[in-house]
Amino acid sequence: MDITYLTEKFYEKYGNRNNKPVLFFSPGRVNLIGEHTDYNGGFVFPCALNYGTYLLIRKINGNILKLSTANFNEDVETEINGLFSNSGQKWINYPLGVINEFLKRGIKTGGLEFLYYGDVPNGAGLSSSASIEMVTAVALNDFFNAGFSALELVKMSQKAENEFVGMNCGIMDQFAVGFGKKDHAIFLNCDTLSFEHVPIILKDYYLIITNTNKRRGLTDSKYNERRGECDKAVELLQAYKPIRNLSELYTGEISLLEKYIKDPVVRKRATHVISENGRVVEAVKVLKNNDIIRFGELMNLSHDSLKNDYEVTGFELDTLVYEGRKLPGVIGTRMTGAGFGGCTVSIVRKTDSAKFMSDLSAIYQKTTNLVPDFYQPEIGEGARRIG
Ligand code: GLA
């Protein structure tokens, strides 16, 4: 990112070169394994990316918030006059939702000018929204000496997304973005929020993200439908054990589901969550033993389960994954994020990576009429002040 260019844009927009804005950055994230487990109290294994959201911000006199983005033309000016309410589907809801969380906790922000710039593709399942939320939260926390811990900022951002934006997500994205560490993934227990940074050493392999570039129209409603099905499974399983969430069951108990859950759809959803938790635990273990091949196999199994049991993949993601697996040097490939579109994440031998991208691109275009994008990310640090 060219910071000089962004600063210039800031001055063009807001003037007054004598009052220098401060720069913050928050990454996007990619989840390596552990999908649709976070809101079920389970395990996830995401890492922060070197792509994300930059925010230049400065205080001004008065009571006006000016929010703008260098990505597209959609500026907003609004007076702080009590709590904000949702302003439709605009990007502006992410920062406003976070600002609200600060206001609710008695932090008076006063006048501010914001300029955002994101280089993580939005709507691609790489948490561009959590990235905007967390960059805002970290900036306000710093600017107003609010003294919230990183975990509180993560929870405030999740609340902004749940209550203000209206997307009932779990905690994974905001946590990954907040607690990212260079060259490490985060092994997080979403029930207790205890976590461990695990080094990602891929040696002869690259992490490659492929964007389906399919618009994820139905994601939110399907996401909520899955959450409802999981709640239903928990309710039915009370006849077996007094559990709070599906992650209290072990893979050895999957065979018992048939007895308690008669609806095959609800049973499949529970099967995915329980088996996925098992895969995350094994994935972390094999990674610590440098067994990248098995790690890749577990990624493949995760996708199969998301396709067959959780049913959140779809034609485009499946095309990338199942065609990708046929190519040389691909040891693991799966969808990442909520699904229904968005991205896949793959582990590909370095020497085969160029061919992987060109061959997969050709097959995907022929099959779907869509052009995919490829990213070779680095694993970066979490949200922070950078200048
Ligand atoms: C989205 C949500 C996360 C998580 C994933 C699926 O990214 O924001 O909380 O549920 O989907 O694993």
Side-chain angles (χ1 to χ4, degrees):
M1 171 61 209
D2 184 346
I3 302 304
T4 320
Y5 169 79
L6 196 63
T7 312
E8 206 36 53
K9 281 234 147 240
F10 187 94
Y11 289 134
E12 262 171 40
K13 202 161 271 298
Y14 298 125
N16 188 6
R17 289 172 184 267
N18 299 323
N19 182 4
K20 204 171 172 291
V22 179
L23 182 64
F24 293 84
F25 173 76
S26 173
R29 67 98 189 90
V30 64
N31 188 21
L32 300 180
I33 191 161
E35 219 66 79
H36 288 278
T37 44
D38 64 347
Y39 53 83
N40 286 301
F43 295 111
V44 294
F45 197 49
C47 47
L49 301 170
N50 56 331
Y51 308 116
T53 312
Y54 295 82
L55 167 62
L56 279 171
I57 177 172
R58 74 181 178 194
K59 289 183 190 173
I60 48 169
N61 291 334
N63 216 16
I64 303 280
L65 296 178
K66 299 180 187 171
L67 297 115
S68 170
T69 162
N71 288 80
F72 40 83
N73 271 334
E74 215 173 79
D75 296 1
V76 172
E77 255 192 58
T78 176
E79 197 175 346
I80 313 169
N81 195 0
L83 291 179
F84 292 102
S85 48
N86 185 304
S87 63
Q89 278 300 87
K90 295 188 187 138
W91 73 275
I92 215 74
N93 285 327
Y94 300 106
L96 285 186
V98 171
I99 294 165
N100 252 8
E101 290 305 315
F102 278 78
L103 294 173
K104 281 190 212 163
R105 287 165 180 75
I107 309 294
K108 301 247 178 315
T109 64
L112 289 166
E113 287 167 334
F114 299 77
L115 178 65
Y116 291 85
Y117 172 73
D119 59 5
V120 57
N122 71 33
L126 302 177
S127 292
S128 54
S129 38
S131 176
I132 301 177
E133 288 152 7
M134 279 300 289
V135 81
T136 310
V138 168
L140 295 181
N141 200 39
D142 179 296
F143 253 46
F144 298 101
N145 290 319
F148 296 120
S149 68
L151 184 58
E152 281 169 311
L153 297 176
V154 163
K155 288 182 176 169
M156 286 157 75
S157 295
Q158 186 199 9
K159 233 170 163 352
E161 177 118 13
N162 290 166
E163 293 171 13
F164 196 87
V165 178
M167 159 67 181
N168 206 11
C169 64
I171 201 163
M172 169 171 73
D173 302 347
Q174 290 79 7
F175 200 99
V177 158
F179 284 85
K181 181 171 171 187
K182 189 166 172 42
D183 299 328
H184 289 71
I186 306 166
F187 177 35
L188 171 67
N189 177 331
C190 298
D191 188 31
T192 61
L193 299 184
S194 63
F195 71 99
E196 181 190 346
H197 283 125
V198 180
I200 301 291
I201 302 163
L202 294 178
K203 290 188 186 137
D204 299 334
Y205 298 90
Y206 281 136
L207 208 58
I208 298 184
I209 295 174
T210 312
N211 192 345
T212 58
N213 283 322
K214 182 197 171 207
R215 292 230 59 80
R216 297 189 310 162
L218 285 172
T219 311
D220 288 10
S221 64
K222 289 282 172 197
Y223 188 91
N224 287 336
E225 187 182 291
R226 294 297 176 278
R227 288 195 71 140
E229 288 160 347
C230 291
D231 291 345
K232 181 88 207 149
V234 171
E235 199 184 303
L236 293 168
L237 286 164
Q238 298 300 321
Y240 165 55
K241 253 189 187 178
I243 53 167
R244 287 173 302 125
N245 60 52
L246 286 174
S247 302
E248 288 182 40
L249 298 183
Y250 295 97
T251 42
E253 290 169 296
I254 289 176
S255 55
L256 294 170
L257 295 180
E258 205 171 345
K259 182 166 169 212
Y260 297 94
I261 308 177
K262 295 295 169 217
D263 180 340
V265 172
V266 175
R267 193 161 66 230
K268 284 204 295 184
R269 306 302 188 241
T271 303
H272 165 73
V273 174
I274 301 166
S275 65
E276 183 78 348
N277 279 323
R279 282 185 288 274
V280 182
V281 172
E282 187 185 346
V284 172
K285 190 168 141 216
V286 297
L287 197 66
K288 287 180 177 171
N289 293 329
N290 294 316
D291 187 354
I292 296 170
I293 301 293
R294 178 63 185 157
F295 188 85
E297 282 168 9
L298 290 162
M299 287 173 73
N300 288 343
L301 291 170
S302 166
H303 185 90
D304 297 347
S305 175
L306 287 156
K307 174 180 187 293
N308 301 320
D309 285 340
Y310 218 64
E311 298 180 277
V312 289
T313 57
F315 181 61
E316 293 78 7
L317 284 167
D318 289 335
T319 302
L320 284 180
V321 161
Y322 295 108
E323 291 300 330
R325 279 186 203 170
K326 293 180 194 160
L327 298 172
V330 179
I331 60 162
T333 177
R334 60 180 287 276
M335 58 154 266
T336 185
F340 305 105
C343 291
T344 63
V345 56
S346 311
I347 298 186
V348 183
R349 200 184 297 125
K350 284 182 180 168
T351 47
D352 291 308
S353 62
K355 191 170 160 49
F356 167 78
M357 292 189 255
S358 62
D359 286 8
L360 189 56
S361 180
I363 302 164
Y364 183 71
Q365 287 187 51
K366 207 168 129 211
T367 317
T368 64
N369 275 324
L370 291 169
V371 182
D373 283 316
F374 293 89
Y375 319 104
Q376 246 173 278
E378 283 167 25
I379 300 178
E381 294 284 331
R384 63 200 183 274
R385 178 175 179 151
I386 53 175

